[in-house]
């Protein structure tokens, strides 16, 4: 069979098997939680915070492996990290460009973990990556992990990354059209029991492609991070989890005002497509036992803000929609803290803010910390039990 494809026309995508059709799948079990709990791994130098305050946070595999094993012990549902392709020096300052590859890192973690879901962030439009490659690698990792592996599908928003692979930057909405073809071909390879041939508008072609073994639960978990109209439409068609930002606001009080409409819109687009999705948000959690200790920690991070990084971020042209309107007079301070929104307070105050986020339509929290190892330990000891008491975790 050879098809000339348009987004959604390869096959009725509503009929692609989903892990949620299997009650025993790791994704189905995670969806039983009132609030999904994830960890945003710091596999890049600087983690998520442009601050030079001394800390343990490190991009190395051993450090991140230890974080994942601890998160798994605490009952976290999933982990993933960013994927970036930057020239020498990265963004500058603490973000010096040292970074592990997300796909290789999570692939390596499949054999040393037993329960937590491992999501690889992959630029599906860069370089020589072919849908057949990803379908085969994904099915393999699905079996190694017992159905715990998945893909955070990204199309690339920075011009410098496209140029590194020898491309001119692809227009924003066109990227999602190409990604639709890519992911539909991959899903077809996971689902079809016969050879599959394909020729469409994208550079990829298939002549009798076939993948075995088939994924255990229909297909791996699919995630997408987006904020644009085209991105939301794409995510609503294909993703199980949609990683959203707080439009125009990282301050918690402002974020909690704008998030309900944004989250509701994302879910409505999915319902219009006959699907149900969960939203994920990335809070940067800063917490200590008392308010005084908490704000002293916060103020120390900000006092050591690395002013070399804003220029580095601004030097790389981006057409991302999710972060538009978020720059302001206090942008260096925000970058020193990091995260999509700031959740700051005592353990009790943090959990109350989590409750507000759930009421605002957020289904999962993909947590970041400044000093990951000790902050994750504090979270497990002091905040997680309160989340259970509040009915946010089983």
């Amino acid at each position: 069979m050879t098809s000339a494809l348009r987004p959604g026309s390869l096959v009725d995508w509503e009929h692609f098997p989903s892990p949620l059709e299997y009650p025993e799948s790791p994704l189905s079990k995670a969806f039983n939680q009132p609030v999904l709990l994830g960890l945003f791994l710091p596999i890049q130098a600087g983690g998520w915070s442009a601050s030079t305050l001394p800390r343990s946070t490190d991009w190395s595999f051993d450090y991140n492996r230890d974080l994942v094993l601890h998160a798994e012990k605490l009952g976290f549902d999933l982990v993933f990290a960013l994927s970036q392709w930057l020239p020498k020096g990265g963004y500058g300052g603490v973000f010096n460009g040292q970074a592990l590859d997300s796909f290789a890192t999570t692939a390596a973690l499949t054999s040393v973990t037993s329960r937590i879901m491992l999501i690889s962030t992959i630029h599906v439009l860069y370089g020589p990556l072919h849908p057949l490659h990803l379908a085969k690698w994904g099915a393999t990792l699905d079996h190694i992990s017992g159905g715990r592996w998945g893909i955070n599908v990204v199309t690339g928003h920075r011009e410098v990354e496209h140029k590194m692979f020898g491309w001119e930057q692809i227009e924003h909405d066109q990227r999602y059209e190409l990604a639709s073809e890519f992911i539909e071909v991959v899903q077809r390879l996971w689902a079809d029991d016969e050879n599959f041939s394909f020729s469409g508008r994208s550079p990829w072609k298939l002549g009798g492609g076939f993948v075995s073994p088939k994924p255990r639960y229909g297909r791996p978990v699919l995630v997408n991070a987006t904020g644009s109209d085209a991105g939301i439409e794409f995510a609503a068609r294909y993703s199980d989890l949609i990683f959203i930002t707080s439009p125009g606001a990282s301050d918690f009080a402002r974020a909690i005002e704008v998030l309900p409409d944004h989250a509701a819109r994302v879910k409505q687009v999915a319902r219009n497509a006959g699907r149900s999705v969960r939203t994920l948000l990335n809070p940067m959690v800063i917490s200590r036992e008392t308010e005084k200790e908490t704000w002293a920690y916060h103020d120390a991070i900000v006092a050591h803000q690395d002013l070399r990084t804003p220029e580095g971020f601004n030097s790389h042209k981006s057409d991302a929609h999710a972060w538009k309107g978020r720059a302001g007079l206090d942008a260096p301070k925000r970058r020193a803290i990091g995260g999509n929104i700031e959740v700051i307070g005592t353990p009790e105050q943090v959990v109350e803010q989590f409750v507000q986020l759930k009421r605002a339509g957020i289904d999962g929290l993909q947590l970041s910390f400044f000093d990951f190892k000790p902050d994750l330990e504090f979270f497990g000891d002091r905040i997680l039990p309160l989340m259970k008491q509040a009915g946010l975790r089983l």
Side-chain angles (χ1 to χ4, degrees):
M1 172 182 178
T2 301
S3 303
L5 300 185
R6 297 180 303 276
S9 68
L10 175 58
V11 72
D12 184 353
W13 42 263
E14 293 179 33
H15 295 159
F16 280 137
S18 163
L20 293 174
E21 297 175 23
Y22 302 82
E24 70 275 19
S25 76
L27 184 65
S28 291
K29 292 176 180 178
F31 271 32
N32 289 329
Q33 286 285 352
V35 172
L36 290 162
L37 196 55
L39 187 66
F40 215 162
L41 297 176
I43 64 170
Q44 70 286 344
W48 302 100
S49 307
S51 175
T52 60
L53 183 69
R55 51 179 160 160
S56 70
T57 301
D58 186 73
W59 57 266
S60 70
F61 178 77
D62 287 353
Y63 186 90
N64 282 274
R65 177 202 60 211
D66 291 348
L67 289 178
V68 172
L69 291 173
H70 191 54
E72 182 171 66
K73 181 179 178 181
L74 292 175
F76 276 55
D77 301 301
L78 73 157
V79 296
F80 62 85
L82 60 67
S83 176
Q84 61 184 15
W85 302 90
L86 296 174
K88 181 179 179 179
Y91 297 118
V94 296
F95 302 131
N96 63 25
Q98 293 276 61
L100 298 176
D101 174 67
S102 175
F103 176 56
T105 300
T106 47
L109 289 167
T110 58
S111 63
V112 298
T113 53
S114 60
R115 192 197 61 80
I116 200 165
M117 288 186 289
L118 304 160
I119 311 298
S120 294
T121 299
I122 300 176
H123 290 85
V124 296
L125 304 184
Y126 287 174
L129 182 66
H130 192 282
L132 187 57
H133 281 128
L134 189 56
K136 182 66 173 182
W137 296 338
T140 300
L141 290 171
D142 178 89
H143 277 262
I144 293 172
S145 67
R148 294 182 294 113
W149 182 80
I151 308 169
N152 176 27
V153 179
V154 291
T155 65
H157 62 94
R158 295 201 180 276
E159 183 180 45
V160 65
E161 296 190 338
H162 290 256
K163 288 186 174 180
M164 285 181 71
F165 284 90
W167 294 45
E168 290 301 312
Q169 187 174 24
I170 306 168
E171 189 274 330
H172 180 278
D173 288 7
Q174 184 187 2
R175 293 203 300 269
Y176 284 103
E177 293 175 7
L178 294 173
S180 293
E181 284 197 358
F182 189 103
I183 205 65
E184 286 190 2
V185 171
V186 170
Q187 290 196 97
R188 184 70 178 260
L189 288 165
W190 283 331
D192 268 20
D193 289 326
E194 301 296 334
N195 297 335
F196 171 56
S197 295
F198 155 73
S199 178
R201 292 170 299 169
S202 61
W204 314 288
K205 300 183 187 302
L206 278 163
F210 188 76
V211 163
S212 66
K214 300 301 182 186
R216 294 190 179 195
Y217 303 110
R219 59 161 171 75
V221 180
L222 294 179
V223 182
N224 186 238
T226 189
S228 68
D229 290 345
I232 291 171
E233 290 284 348
F234 173 89
R237 285 200 304 269
Y238 306 112
S239 296
D240 305 301
L241 299 167
I242 302 182
F243 192 58
I244 65 173
T245 63
S246 165
S250 55
D251 174 74
F252 186 87
R254 175 60 183 145
I256 211 69
E257 294 177 359
V258 298
L259 276 170
D261 287 346
H262 184 51
R265 176 193 170 211
V266 169
K267 293 177 183 180
Q268 184 60 53
V269 174
R271 282 194 293 272
N272 293 345
R275 302 187 69 246
S276 177
V277 298
R278 299 285 183 95
T279 55
L280 284 177
L281 189 73
N282 168 223
M284 170 63 71
V285 177
I286 298 176
S287 182
R288 289 293 185 266
E289 201 63 50
T290 66
E291 286 191 46
K292 182 178 179 180
E293 292 172 303
T294 298
W295 285 101
Y297 186 24
H298 167 277
D299 293 346
I301 296 169
V302 173
H304 287 78
Q305 63 185 270
D306 190 338
L307 295 177
R308 298 168 292 178
T309 59
E311 182 179 350
F313 273 87
N314 295 333
S315 67
H316 298 306
K317 179 183 174 183
S318 167
D319 64 0
H321 289 210
W323 297 94
K324 284 183 177 180
R326 296 175 61 86
L329 295 176
D330 60 349
K333 171 187 175 294
R334 295 299 187 202
R335 193 158 285 137
I337 298 298
N340 176 233
I341 66 168
E342 301 160 8
V343 173
I344 303 169
T346 65
E348 292 80 7
Q349 291 168 339
V350 167
V351 172
E352 175 52 34
Q353 290 174 77
F354 287 170
V355 169
Q356 292 181 59
L357 288 173
K358 178 174 172 56
R359 290 173 181 163
I362 302 303
D363 303 310
L365 303 170
Q366 186 77 3
L367 304 180
S368 296
F369 301 102
F370 178 74
D371 196 354
F372 269 78
K373 276 193 175 180
D375 290 354
L376 179 59
E377 289 177 5
F378 182 82
F379 177 88
D381 290 342
R382 291 290 293 114
I383 298 174
L384 186 56
L386 297 178
M387 290 183 69
K388 294 178 179 178
Q389 290 179 25
L392 300 178
R393 296 289 293 176
L394 300 178

